[in-house]
Amino acid sequence: RKEVEQDPGPFNVPEGATVAFNCTYSNSASQSFFWYRQDCRKEPKLLMSVYSSGNEDGRFTAQLNRASQYISLLIRDSKLSDSATYLCVVSFNQAGTALIFGKGTTLSVSS
Amino acid sequence: DGGITQSPKYLFRKEGQNVTLSCEQNLNHDAMYWYRQDPGQGLRLIYYSQIVNDFQKGDIAEGYSVSREKKESFPLTVTSAQKNPTAFYLCASLEAGRTGELFFGEGSRLTVL
């Protein structure tokens, strides 16, 4: 069974905090990795792809550890607007058509 | 602006009735997908289509049907055979060569009374 596991949270943090989420996947043949963001009762939207070398987009940093089969998302200087559910997504084929979604980690940033 | 349009946004249905959810995209994407999301659950794939006139079952296809007669359109029918149809339904499309970058519609929230 192909599984993607995330800590559901919720993670409750104050503004300005740094928070990290992990996601583990069970299939070592996984090809591609992504983080999506989903606001309450809205559709998911791609936040960032995760590359083997790690990648950064402003306050967001994604890392991949193939040996341990996990990916991470680090958010620095949290904003109120970062409050959302973050979905870990793994692709099991090169075409990206076989996407497995984790259940998501909920982040709540408070002032 | 290009995007995916799902309708209706909210739908109420009595048990035993079929209902069809619309999904239209003007992104010129070949691949389209239907997912179901339940509270506290990840998205589960119902059906997907990589090309017109062809579609494949996903993980939870039982009780659902689809068609792909046009590139832009991928309607989903929730039949009376679906045991627990109340859920949030999301349609998505994928640009060829853009691995994993799904574009989602705003979703349709179906409630069975």
Side-chain angles (χ1 to χ4, degrees):
Chain A
R1 171 97 179 113
K2 302 165 187 169
E3 294 286 353
V4 175
E5 301 286 341
Q6 294 183 252
D7 182 341
F11 284 61
N12 299 305
V13 303
E15 275 186 288
T18 296
V19 60
F21 310 135
N22 281 344
C23 164
T24 59
Y25 59 94
S26 58
N27 190 328
S28 59
S30 302
Q31 299 278 349
S32 309
F33 309 88
F34 312 90
W35 284 102
Y36 276 72
R37 170 192 170 128
Q38 186 174 24
D39 292 310
C40 188
R41 300 178 73 82
K42 300 283 190 182
E43 75 276 20
K45 293 182 180 178
L46 179 67
L47 178 66
M48 58 197 304
S49 303
V50 187
Y51 303 121
S52 296
S53 54
N55 48 302
E56 188 173 309
D57 183 2
R59 297 181 293 107
F60 298 82
T61 301
Q63 298 275 354
L64 167 64
N65 186 319
R66 284 191 182 271
S68 300
Q69 294 183 203
Y70 77 83
I71 66 173
S72 63
L73 178 67
L74 180 77
I75 306 175
R76 290 182 300 278
D77 189 22
S78 298
K79 311 290 185 192
L80 294 175
S81 58
D82 294 334
S83 297
T85 296
Y86 292 84
L87 307 176
C88 172
V89 183
V90 176
S91 171
F92 291 89
N93 65 12
Q94 293 223 349
T97 53
L99 295 171
I100 306 296
F101 284 77
K103 294 180 182 180
T105 296
T106 298
L107 172 66
S108 178
V109 182
S110 57
S111 57
Chain B
D1 287 337
I4 297 182
T5 302
Q6 287 187 242
S7 64
K9 196 167 183 178
Y10 298 96
L11 184 62
F12 298 86
R13 158 197 131 177
K14 291 182 180 179
E15 276 191 38
Q17 290 180 336
N18 291 357
V19 62
T20 297
L21 307 180
S22 169
C23 177
E24 303 280 330
Q25 55 103 353
N26 60 2
L27 299 166
N28 201 34
H29 290 173
D30 287 312
M32 296 186 74
Y33 303 79
W34 273 106
Y35 288 92
R36 169 182 173 139
Q37 188 176 34
D38 295 283
Q41 300 294 316
L43 276 67
R44 291 184 289 168
L45 183 63
I46 304 172
Y47 268 98
Y48 66 99
S49 168
Q50 297 190 343
I51 197 168
V52 174
N53 292 321
D54 185 58
F55 48 83
Q56 307 294 331
K57 291 182 179 180
D59 298 322
I60 56 164
E62 185 176 348
Y64 299 98
S65 66
V66 293
S67 63
R68 188 85 186 278
E69 297 175 3
K70 298 186 298 182
K71 188 175 185 177
E72 312 81 57
S73 179
F74 191 39
L76 173 75
T77 297
V78 185
T79 75
S80 56
Q82 168 48 233
K83 297 280 191 292
N84 186 18
T86 295
F88 187 41
Y89 291 89
L90 288 157
C91 179
S93 69
L94 180 69
E95 184 178 357
R98 297 300 298 269
T99 303
E101 189 173 354
L102 289 170
F103 289 85
F104 284 90
E106 293 186 341
S108 293
R109 201 167 292 276
L110 172 64
T111 302
V112 174
L113 305 172

